[in-house]
Amino acid sequence: MTAVTLPARVVGFPFPFPHETYRYSTNVEPAGTRATTAAGGWGDHVVDVDEFYLAELAERDRVLAADPSRFQALPHMGAAQWETTTTLMRMLADAHPDRFSLTRDGTRWHWRNDELGLEQSFVPGDPDSLPEPPLRYIGRQVQEDIVLLDQRQGALWGDAGLVTFAADWSLRFDVGMSFLQIHGPVPRVHEEGVIPRAQQFLMGLQAGQRYRRTNWTLTVDRRLDTATETYPDWGRDRRLLAEGPLDDVGRRLHLRVEVQHLIRLGASNAILFLIRTHLLPLEDVALVPEWAQRLHDVLVELPDDMADYKGITRTRGPGIDWLREYAGTHN
Ligand code: HEM
């Protein structure tokens, strides 16, 4: 099959496995350039607006209305919130001038988002000039989850965020923690130095520098909100899928890939961490047979402690079984 016949969600999917096996690493690369895959490519823009824009923002609003604690901001993060807002608006307007625009008249800025039918005048730094906190305002207009890290005392601190699509973690629990504390539950990375190295790297970022990395797991159904808070809603689906017919697996089991961007904000010196979640059902993964084979091989080889931490102990078996027909078909 050639790339032109594939649907856009496959062509632009950030398939995350360059190797036959997967291990944690400080896998960062410069952002803003196209990464190519067997189906096409991704990564032209840091903030990525796609066919799911309206649906995902409606879902973010639903999650946030049900649980306002998905937005967190410690009081000293005001300047970083404003800088995040203008930075993301500028990125949207530069990438899609037909749909977003940001203009400035002295201290007053004017924002237009035609996708959502929004127009807003505001003065950065004046909290009364927006209808809600700036990070919450802009976070409801990008598909990315957002965490803001403050840098002080030789460490990074996750001091603000709007996260509605977390992969089994909780912003409310993590807010105010250091980068090392936030990564406390992750196996292997501390002994192997991955996290301290990542923190050193991030603390050395200069104003305007942008990097990216990917992370992945498996999710049952097209469910973006798999936060710790809603575990009772989604936890059991993994067992039910494993007990159900293999025929359902291709449609229901999704490869979940996070494209994460790390950007040093010049004025506030905060680090803007963007997490964009992509979900692709295995039946779509299999439209690219080399992806199906690679995912099969990675799942087979993945050590148990990593599978357990990722929450895929129950689902990787069905995933491997469903993908088995693609194993060994591409070399
Ligand atoms: C989880 C590495 C940046 C927040 C993880 C995991 C790894 C990792 C390996 C385990 C993921 C999995 O198995 O699915 C890194 C590296 C980074 C980075 C190498 C930078 C180069 C960040 C930043 C934040 C963050 C900036 C923002 C606060 C988290 C959270 C988890 C996580 C909340 C889940 C922890 C939990 O289970 O409670 N990270 N990370 N990471 N990371 Fe990072």
Side-chain angles (χ1 to χ4, degrees):
M1 186 175 293
T2 60
V4 278
T5 63
L6 295 169
R9 63 182 182 277
V10 177
V11 174
F13 187 74
F15 191 74
F17 304 121
H19 309 295
E20 281 163 25
T21 57
Y22 177 83
R23 291 294 181 277
Y24 294 138
S25 63
T26 311
N27 58 329
V28 285
E29 62 180 20
T33 54
R34 189 169 179 77
T36 54
T37 68
W42 57 278
D44 293 328
H45 302 298
V46 170
V47 178
D48 176 13
V49 177
D50 69 10
E51 62 188 294
F52 302 109
Y53 183 79
L54 294 177
E56 292 187 2
L57 291 178
E59 175 64 359
R60 170 157 298 141
D61 278 352
R62 186 193 67 76
V63 173
L64 196 53
D67 179 2
S69 80
R70 304 301 181 93
F71 169 70
Q72 296 284 338
L74 298 187
H76 62 275
M77 296 303 280
Q81 283 199 57
W82 280 108
E83 196 176 4
T84 299
T85 304
T86 51
T87 300
L88 293 177
M89 286 174 173
R90 171 64 54 217
M91 284 179 181
L92 285 167
D94 286 349
H96 308 285
D98 53 325
R99 289 180 276 172
F100 304 96
S101 99
L102 183 65
T103 52
R104 206 178 152 172
D105 180 10
T107 55
R108 185 154 285 276
W109 298 47
H110 193 77
W111 168 242
R112 226 187 55 232
N113 176 341
D114 291 342
E115 285 284 335
L116 291 173
L118 291 175
E119 261 197 84
Q120 180 75 44
S121 267
F122 64 96
V123 178
D126 174 3
D128 295 331
S129 66
L130 284 182
E132 59 190 321
L135 179 58
R136 199 174 183 280
Y137 179 77
I138 193 62
R140 294 174 54 230
Q141 300 182 53
V142 293
Q143 288 162 267
E144 284 72 14
D145 279 323
I146 304 174
V147 181
L148 288 178
L149 296 112
D150 191 30
Q151 184 162 330
R152 60 179 191 277
Q153 300 160 336
L156 293 169
W157 306 83
D159 284 348
L162 174 57
V163 178
T164 51
F165 304 149
D168 201 2
W169 61 279
S170 161
L171 177 67
R172 181 178 50 187
F173 182 77
D174 281 3
V175 72
M177 285 189 187
S178 73
F179 186 80
L180 300 188
Q181 288 166 339
I182 288 171
H183 289 92
V186 184
R188 292 172 181 246
V189 288
H190 301 275
E191 309 82 294
E192 291 171 12
V194 170
I195 294 301
R197 263 203 308 281
Q199 177 165 257
Q200 281 315 116
F201 170 80
L202 293 175
M203 287 198 302
L205 285 182
Q206 303 296 307
Q209 278 191 313
R210 308 157 169 198
Y211 281 80
R212 71 180 174 211
R213 62 184 297 269
T214 56
N215 185 37
W216 69 278
T217 187
L218 300 176
T219 300
V220 180
D221 298 331
R222 199 185 156 75
R223 182 187 287 275
L224 285 163
D225 174 22
T226 51
T228 314
E229 285 88 345
T230 46
Y231 181 85
D233 297 339
W234 55 267
R236 81 176 77 83
D237 289 345
R238 300 173 299 184
R239 177 175 54 78
L240 295 175
L241 182 91
E243 289 169 4
L246 190 60
D247 277 357
D248 286 354
V249 171
R251 185 176 44 84
R252 293 196 61 193
L253 193 60
H254 288 64
L255 175 57
R256 175 185 177 114
V257 178
E258 294 177 357
V259 173
Q260 305 178 344
H261 279 95
L262 302 142
I263 301 160
R264 170 73 76 187
L265 299 177
S268 62
N269 202 39
I271 288 182
L272 169 58
F273 183 50
L274 300 171
I275 311 160
R276 173 62 183 283
T277 300
H278 297 262
L279 287 164
L280 197 67
L282 294 199
E283 63 187 13
D284 281 353
V285 172
L287 294 175
V288 187
E290 49 269 65
W291 285 1
Q293 176 178 350
R294 179 56 57 87
L295 177 58
H296 172 273
D297 294 350
V298 164
L299 290 176
V300 167
E301 196 278 339
L302 193 72
D304 287 346
D305 58 339
M306 291 173 72
D308 194 41
Y309 172 72
K310 284 181 179 291
I312 64 172
T313 298
R314 284 204 165 92
T315 49
R316 82 158 149 170
I320 291 167
D321 290 345
W322 193 88
L323 292 164
R324 199 179 307 279
E325 65 178 289
Y326 299 92
T329 51
H330 277 261
N331 290 308

